[in-house]
Structure formats: C-alpha cells, structure tokens
Amino acid sequence: RMLLSTVADDAMRSAGGSPGSAKVEFPVSTKSIMASAFDVPTDRVGLYDVAVQLTQAEACMAPVQLQEALRSTFEDYLKGSASPFHTTQVLSMAVDKAGVQCKRRNVRQLLQSFSAATAAVRIMVVFRADGESTINLAAFQDMPGITSIAPDATNS
C-alpha cells in the first residue's frame, strides 16, 4: 500500500498536482454548451462555413464590430431561409481585406457596395427543439454578399 501511495504521489507531483489531489477534465464542445443553454438536443445545433463579400466599411471594422455586424446580418438572412431558431453566433472569421484601404470616405457610399474584401466565417445556429434543423442553403446563398454556405465538415 505504501508503494502505491508513493507512486501515485510522485505521478501527481510530475503532473503539477499535489498529493491527494486529482485533475479531472471533461471535454465539452461549444455545441454542447449552446445546446444546454437553450435546452435543446445537440443535434439541434448546426455549424456552417460561410464565405461572404464585405463592403469597404465592413472590411475596415474592428473584429468585434464586424463579428456583431455579420451575426446580425446572418440572423436576418436565416429568418427567411431556415427553420425556427433561437440564436445565431459567429464562432470564427478570417478576413481578407484584398487591398481595401481604410480611409475616411463617404460612409453612405461605403455601405452600399461590396468590395474585393471577403471573410470566411464559421457560424453556429441553435434551432428550436420543436421543429426541423435545416437551412435552405440555396436561398441563404442567394442573399446579398453570400458567396457560399456549407455545413461544417467536422460538425464539432
């Protein structure tokens, strides 16, 4: 018994713990957290990869501002192309400014037309538990600025 206790204590010290302590980790995905928060099964949480064109104003936004602007836009687009949902969240985005210069210009002009800037965005949609969990991908892709949408291949 003494030998086992010594070996266990040595293993804990080398792992950064203290004698008599244990480190327990539970792998938790973003999907499971959101499913739990909205009290829906995890199969009601969908992940999608979206490619989108940006206006010059969007390309020049701070990342947090752009994240919220895209989240709001995607949520509006989904209202017309998806089954009922609770929320849409932007999980990640990679912006390619494609040479867009961020200078002060006529804001109205900047907001009206798309630039060469693009973003690859990963979104999460939490669908309601009492319906389907679908997006009409063709209808979503027809929305202004959307160049593609596909279910996330990893689905994690």
Side-chain angles (χ1 to χ4, degrees):
R1 186 173 189 195
M2 184 65 152
L3 178 61
L4 288 176
S5 176
T6 303
V7 170
D9 286 348
D10 289 345
M12 287 303 297
R13 278 189 207 97
S14 66
S18 61
S21 71
K23 181 178 179 182
V24 180
E25 292 184 18
F26 298 99
V28 179
S29 71
T30 306
K31 280 180 71 168
S32 65
I33 291 170
M34 293 299 282
S36 177
F38 285 93
D39 196 26
V40 299
T42 55
D43 67 350
R44 297 293 188 206
V45 180
L47 301 174
Y48 299 88
D49 293 315
V50 182
V52 62
Q53 289 179 284
L54 302 174
T55 64
Q56 185 171 356
E58 289 170 331
C60 294
M61 287 180 177
V64 172
Q65 286 180 300
L66 180 58
Q67 179 184 18
E68 180 54 29
L70 290 175
R71 189 203 64 74
S72 179
T73 296
F74 294 154
E75 196 159 272
D76 287 344
Y77 288 177
L78 287 168
K79 288 178 183 171
S81 62
S83 28
F85 60 93
H86 289 287
T87 188
T88 303
Q89 297 297 316
V90 172
L91 299 180
S92 64
M93 64 182 176
V95 175
D96 177 3
K97 289 189 180 183
V100 169
Q101 298 295 314
C102 297
K103 299 178 183 176
R104 288 188 151 289
R105 290 193 180 171
N106 180 345
V107 174
R108 182 171 289 150
Q109 178 187 356
L110 295 179
L111 294 175
Q112 291 177 351
S113 61
F114 291 106
S115 68
T118 59
V121 185
R122 187 169 193 218
I123 64 171
M124 174 182 288
V125 181
V126 180
F127 294 95
R128 296 196 181 274
D130 58 354
E132 295 183 27
S133 302
T134 58
I135 294 177
N136 180 335
L137 299 177
F140 189 88
Q141 191 165 322
D142 285 343
M143 298 295 182
I146 304 297
T147 56
S148 69
I149 180 171
D152 177 68
T154 63
N155 201 24
S156 59

